[in-house]
Amino acid sequence: MGTLTTLTDEAKIALDTLSDRTASLVSPSLRLGVTGLSRAGKTVFITALVHNLLHGGRLPLFQAQKSGRIARAYLEQQPDDAVPRFQYEDHLNALLDERIWPDSTRAISELRLTIEYESASMWNRMFSGGKLSVDIVDYPGEWLLDLPLLHKSYAEFSRPSFELAQLESRKDLAAAWLAAAGAVDPAGDANEMTAQGLAKAFTDYLRAGKADERALSTLPPGRFLMPGDLDGSPALTFAPLPSLGDGRTKPGSLAAMMERRYEAYKTHVVKPFFREHIARLDRQIVLVDTMQAINAGPAAVADLERALTEILSCFRPGVTNFLTGLVQRRIGRILVAATKADQLHHESHDRLQAIVRRLVDRAISRADFSGAQVDVLAMAAVRTTREATVTQGKDVLPVIVGTPIEGETIGDEEFDGKTETAIFPGDLPKDPDSLFEGPVAEDAMVRFVRFRPPKLERTAEGYTLSLPHIRLDRAIEFLIGDRLA
């Protein structure tokens, strides 16, 4: 990871870390990064985590709460005034009152949740009650896929882009861009309209790859799909070019123009994101919509594995001692969680977890995670279904019951968004490798549909009960449990 930064970058990171550590001596804090590729459920995860901690939700595997040591949890002003606040109240309203899923993460946001607790250690209890502020940093996983660009030249970015575009699962989506790129001369004169046309064709290809039927994950540069206020800027108006050598580009050429803009993208977009956010994290959870990839087939599953390998290689895992920790930050715990486990019967939850383990094995073997704890989990931050059984002839089938989102289909049946329905989702394969090896037989396919958030009861005083979940308590315990001991 050191190859992604210069000495100047490291000096700035050290100063930021020293400032954070100094403030933490007075008010202990922990920075928790929450990321994942689109539709993995980042917003829902944060909203459910905060709601359950604020309202004393049922979290039996979260030891500090199970043992009654948490006095209270509450929201405070976040420490970074220049970062938008995570709109917890709006997202909660969408889930509880409108029963719709909140908008997806489009940019970085932050929320501070402070927990007052009693230490499990008698020695610590003799001096003072415990207090920990958890600064939750929400950011798009697509932006993480940009970090490896920091140690790649423009030519090194272009070559694999064309190689990926030639894959069977992509080449029809990339056809217009490949044709446009093949029609230009990289050594020809720079032309703004040509650059804009290539950038648009390349962006259209990336956007098509995100559609449900393809569910591709490795689609850098990430800001091309989420440009924000950079939309139309030269830093986002470039595209890979074919047949580039490793030597210097001809001054005034199209390749030189694209190279300059690519370097500007790295300098003004990617580096600040890494330095100001990723390098300051203490813990990290990566959420994965594994089932969307499974629905799309082996190519999407393989692409998800490729993306996770890239993402996990971007973190700075490890441990620090008291002295080095003053100027150096390492991510001590990383959790990779497959979301939406409520779309399966509980008998398949362990199989889903095994699939996630298979997806991250390569990343763990390639990256140096010495000193850091890495775990995987199948979970649902908000449980939208309940389990039941139905009799079909002599067979008793395990089903899930919920209200599918309007427009969701299974076969010829289309759901209206109002009717509760029992669905037999099928079973995930026992062998995770089978998902990488070829088309799934029709009778072995798992049927995934998206459900509306559950309807929650209110108490006589008008308080809404905490959001139901699957294994959210395990995630919380792994991510912050040790800091509340």
Side-chain angles (χ1 to χ4, degrees):
M1 197 66 200
T3 59
L4 304 191
T5 55
T6 63
L7 290 176
T8 302
D9 295 326
E10 290 297 334
K12 291 178 179 178
I13 291 170
L15 287 174
D16 289 340
T17 301
L18 181 59
S19 175
D20 289 342
R21 297 302 195 203
T22 302
S24 192
L25 291 174
V26 178
S27 178
S29 65
L30 176 148
R31 291 182 69 85
L32 169 63
V34 180
T35 196
L37 301 172
S38 62
R39 295 177 64 174
K42 298 178 291 294
T43 302
V44 173
F45 172 82
I46 295 172
T47 304
L49 180 151
V50 172
H51 189 256
N52 273 281
L53 290 176
L54 290 180
H55 296 278
R58 186 173 179 274
L59 303 169
L61 297 182
F62 180 37
Q63 294 301 321
Q65 181 154 307
K66 178 184 177 182
S67 60
R69 293 189 292 105
I70 293 183
R72 65 172 181 145
Y74 51 94
L75 296 177
E76 284 193 294
Q77 292 186 37
Q78 66 196 58
D80 301 309
D81 292 333
V83 178
R85 182 180 184 273
F86 179 84
Q87 296 301 320
Y88 164 73
E89 295 81 4
D90 292 342
H91 300 321
L92 187 65
N93 177 68
L95 286 171
L96 298 183
D97 296 334
E98 301 177 55
R99 290 186 65 203
I100 60 173
W101 296 110
D103 293 337
S104 300
T105 299
R106 305 293 298 177
I108 294 174
S109 62
E110 187 176 305
L111 191 70
R112 168 166 280 198
L113 173 71
T114 297
I115 302 171
E116 293 181 359
Y117 66 98
E118 183 182 71
S119 175
S121 164
M122 184 178 296
W123 176 262
N124 289 339
R125 288 200 302 269
M126 291 173 59
F127 295 96
S128 65
K131 181 178 178 181
L132 176 69
S133 292
V134 181
D135 294 319
I136 303 170
V137 183
D138 177 31
Y139 62 94
E142 285 80 0
W143 294 6
L144 270 182
L145 293 173
D146 285 347
L147 295 185
L149 301 181
L150 291 177
H151 62 68
K152 292 181 181 179
S153 68
Y154 175 62
E156 291 168 335
F157 156 68
S158 291
R159 282 193 291 269
S161 296
F162 281 98
E163 291 169 3
L164 281 176
Q166 297 292 344
L167 295 177
E168 194 65 34
S169 59
R170 294 174 177 245
K171 62 183 181 182
D172 60 324
L173 304 179
W177 165 59
L178 291 174
V184 301
D185 178 11
D189 291 342
N191 182 283
E192 181 61 37
M193 298 312 295
T194 300
Q196 289 185 19
L198 287 171
K200 182 181 184 304
F202 184 59
T203 303
D204 288 345
Y205 149 59
L206 297 180
R207 187 170 288 115
K210 292 186 70 64
D212 285 353
E213 58 270 19
R214 296 301 174 91
L216 299 176
S217 303
T218 310
L219 298 166
R223 297 295 178 97
F224 277 43
L225 299 178
M226 299 178 180
D229 57 3
L230 292 172
D231 194 16
S233 68
L236 263 65
T237 310
F238 67 90
L241 287 175
S243 306
L244 295 177
D246 291 322
R248 295 187 62 183
T249 53
K250 176 184 172 184
S253 66
L254 179 64
M257 171 194 265
M258 294 292 198
E259 182 179 40
R260 184 178 69 252
R261 294 180 175 187
Y262 169 77
E263 292 299 331
Y265 181 78
K266 290 162 54 177
T267 299
H268 300 296
V269 177
V270 184
K271 273 193 176 183
F273 168 62
F274 173 73
R275 186 182 68 244
E276 296 168 13
H277 301 287
I278 303 304
R280 296 175 61 196
L281 297 176
D282 298 303
R283 305 287 165 89
Q284 177 69 55
I285 180 168
V286 180
L287 302 172
V288 184
D289 188 355
T290 313
M291 288 180 289
Q292 184 185 21
I294 293 172
N295 262 352
V301 174
D303 200 65
L304 177 58
E305 180 187 38
R306 185 183 300 115
L308 284 173
T309 301
E310 292 278 358
I311 286 173
L312 291 176
S313 69
C314 293
F315 296 128
R316 288 185 156 187
V319 293
T320 57
N321 58 40
F322 176 76
L323 291 178
T324 60
L326 290 176
V327 293
Q328 187 181 73
R329 214 155 192 159
R330 289 286 183 259
I331 298 179
R333 297 191 178 196
I334 300 173
L335 180 64
V336 182
T339 58
K340 306 176 185 178
D342 56 328
Q343 295 179 5
L344 293 166
H345 194 270
H346 76 270
E347 294 173 353
S348 283
H349 290 174
D350 286 344
R351 294 185 183 185
L352 178 59
Q353 192 160 297
I355 291 169
V356 184
R357 172 65 68 182
R358 166 64 176 79
L359 286 168
V360 302
D361 271 349
R362 180 192 296 183
I364 292 173
S365 64
R366 286 178 55 181
D368 180 12
F369 287 100
S370 57
Q373 295 185 43
V374 183
D375 203 0
V376 300
L377 183 67
M379 62 171 290
V382 174
R383 183 171 190 161
T384 63
T385 63
R386 65 182 189 278
E387 295 185 353
T389 57
V390 297
T391 302
Q392 194 174 76
K394 294 183 179 180
D395 297 324
V396 177
L397 299 178
V399 298
I400 54 176
V401 181
T403 305
I405 292 174
E406 182 179 1
E408 287 288 293
T409 60
I410 292 183
D412 296 330
E413 183 178 6
E414 182 173 331
F415 301 103
D416 60 10
K418 300 176 183 178
T419 307
E420 193 172 69
T421 306
I423 295 173
F424 173 60
D427 297 317
L428 290 174
K430 294 181 180 179
D431 180 11
D433 288 333
S434 65
L435 295 173
F436 295 79
E437 295 169 354
V440 181
E442 186 67 29
D443 59 355
M445 291 184 67
V446 183
R447 300 166 183 83
F448 302 131
V449 299
R450 292 174 296 166
F451 294 88
R452 293 184 65 188
K455 183 177 182 180
L456 298 187
E457 301 297 330
R458 293 183 183 269
T459 65
E461 294 78 18
Y463 294 109
T464 304
L465 300 179
S466 58
L467 289 161
H469 62 86
I470 297 174
R471 298 177 177 174
L472 177 63
D473 49 346
R474 279 185 55 184
I476 297 173
E477 176 64 24
F478 179 79
L479 292 169
I480 66 172
D482 62 310
R483 293 292 301 269
L484 303 172

